[in-house]
Amino acid sequence: MSLTYRSRGAMALAAAATVLVAIPGIATAAEVGAAERVLRVYNNNIENLVRNNADGSCTRVSGPEHLTSMLVDDEGRTGTSGVRAPDLLIVQQVRGTGQARAYADQLAAKFGFPAGTYGVIVAWDDPEPWGSTHKCSQQSLGDLKKKQTNGIIYNTRTLSLAAADVSKYWSAGWLKPGTAYAGGAGCTLYKPPSNDDGVTLRHKWKRTSAIAARFTIRETGTKVFAATMHLPEQNGANACAGAGTTGVANSGIHLGADATSLMDGSAIRVVGIDANRVNIAPTVLGGSGMTGYGAKATSGSRKIDYLFVKGAVRPSSIDHTVGGTKSNHLALYGFIEF
């Protein structure tokens, strides 16, 4: 496993020594903080910033384009002067540290902050490629989707992170093709030796590695837990979360031991998932105090992406689902008062 994050010294420097650049129409963090205490959280499978089109072609999307299509104001509108800098972006399907870092710095630039203002955590620093065309008729674009991992991007102006508060990665569960399901009895962890057969898919399992962290809100000391997950496609037909288990409420969802420990010590909890499974109830993580937000379809006609939160989430006029997201998946968001 490899994971990347801003050091405490660097984060303190970013918080204490940053000179704000005023941009017409965009409020600074100080101006917003003086009026309200809100943690702005988003979840999205960004698909390596490459969209698959119905005709088999693909379209590359820039980081700024994607961010503009996803970030919303308090009324759920994109592209307005009321859009504020987010605090947490929970993402799936990034190529590794390099893409996540570039995306985070583009986010910082959007709000007039210097590079490095947003820290990055990824499950795998540089995962091996897998697959062939990835359903792109242009091979060069398909190649951009061959490396896949999951990450968390966080605003060091509002959140601090200690090295001990990043979990180890944990593996998703799956039903290996050709295995009898038997109510979950055939389930196993999706990692070697129970990974895909064949050279092309050998490293595919890494795209489903999950990771979590516990942050501290600088202003209040409140602990915030965040986790990112991407479950295998097989979870859609047969829920699997590990050896012989179907996961929480037969959803295929489970939290690793390190992640659970971090979560238990957090007042605010956020889990973002591309579960590849429909009809997961908003109450599925109720035992951990979390509720699901957003009921609309997120991938074509299916809802397979979920955002679970423990906290005081503001109501949303757009069902916490951002319809114009420039990804194969629609983003979910929650503005949490603290």
Side-chain angles (χ1 to χ4, degrees):
M1 181 194 73
S2 175
L3 47 92
T4 304
Y5 54 89
R6 298 281 293 170
S7 70
R8 279 175 283 180
M11 289 189 287
L13 180 62
T18 297
V19 177
L20 290 181
V21 178
I23 298 179
I26 296 181
T28 67
E31 291 169 337
V32 174
E36 60 181 357
R37 286 181 175 173
V38 179
L39 194 73
R40 299 176 188 275
V41 178
Y42 295 82
N43 176 72
N44 190 223
N45 181 337
I46 71 173
E47 288 278 347
N48 301 105
L49 296 178
V50 177
R51 299 180 74 177
N52 292 89
N53 303 316
D55 63 0
S57 66
C58 287
T59 302
R60 190 172 187 178
V61 179
S62 73
E65 283 181 305
H66 178 264
L67 288 162
T68 297
S69 76
M70 177 180 70
L71 303 180
V72 297
D73 63 18
D74 288 348
E75 285 70 48
R77 299 172 300 182
T78 60
T80 74
S81 62
V83 175
R84 311 299 188 199
D87 300 292
L88 281 170
L89 270 65
I90 299 169
V91 295
Q92 297 86 41
Q93 206 168 315
V94 293
R95 284 192 288 278
T97 298
Q99 185 179 36
R101 178 75 270 156
Y103 182 74
D105 287 344
Q106 289 165 343
L107 173 59
K110 182 177 180 66
F111 291 94
F113 302 149
T117 297
Y118 281 89
V120 168
I121 302 165
V122 297
W124 295 97
D125 179 62
D126 186 25
E128 296 87 347
W130 68 273
S132 54
T133 66
H134 286 271
K135 301 179 181 179
C136 292
S137 57
Q138 312 98 310
Q139 187 61 56
S140 61
L141 295 183
D143 289 345
L144 293 177
K145 303 186 82 165
K146 286 187 174 182
K147 293 185 176 186
Q148 299 178 16
T149 188
N150 306 301
I152 301 169
I153 298 170
Y154 63 98
N155 190 341
T156 66
R157 298 175 61 84
T158 55
L159 298 169
S160 64
L161 177 64
D165 284 346
V166 178
S167 79
K168 296 178 182 178
Y169 87 84
W170 70 95
S171 295
W174 82 320
L175 185 72
K176 191 169 183 178
T179 304
Y181 184 57
C187 295
T188 187
L189 286 175
Y190 187 20
K191 64 178 184 178
S194 184
N195 57 324
D196 296 87
D197 297 325
V199 174
T200 303
L201 301 180
R202 179 177 297 162
H203 301 293
K204 184 180 179 182
W205 68 275
K206 285 193 172 182
R207 87 184 196 125
T208 63
S209 298
I211 197 163
R214 179 176 60 197
F215 304 91
T216 301
I217 299 178
R218 293 183 182 276
E219 186 178 0
T220 63
T222 306
K223 299 298 183 181
V224 178
F225 171 82
T228 179
M229 302 184 206
H230 188 180
L231 306 187
E233 296 97 324
Q234 288 82 3
N235 196 54
N238 298 293
C240 283
T245 176
T246 61
V248 181
N250 300 318
S251 65
I253 298 170
H254 82 284
L255 289 166
D258 285 353
T260 299
S261 178
L262 295 175
M263 180 185 69
D264 288 345
S266 302
I268 296 174
R269 303 171 183 179
V270 184
V271 175
I273 310 175
D274 173 358
N276 268 307
R277 186 175 183 83
V278 299
N279 299 325
I280 295 179
T283 57
V284 71
L285 296 181
S288 299
M290 287 179 274
T291 300
Y293 290 87
K296 294 180 180 178
T298 58
S299 178
S301 61
R302 303 181 302 151
K303 176 173 176 57
I304 61 172
D305 301 271
Y306 300 86
L307 180 66
F308 297 97
V309 180
K310 178 184 179 182
V313 178
R314 288 180 170 181
S316 168
S317 61
I318 60 169
D319 186 45
H320 302 281
T321 310
V322 187
T325 313
K326 289 192 174 181
S327 171
N328 293 353
H329 301 250
L330 300 186
L332 296 161
Y333 76 98
F335 293 166
I336 307 164
E337 297 180 347
F338 62 91

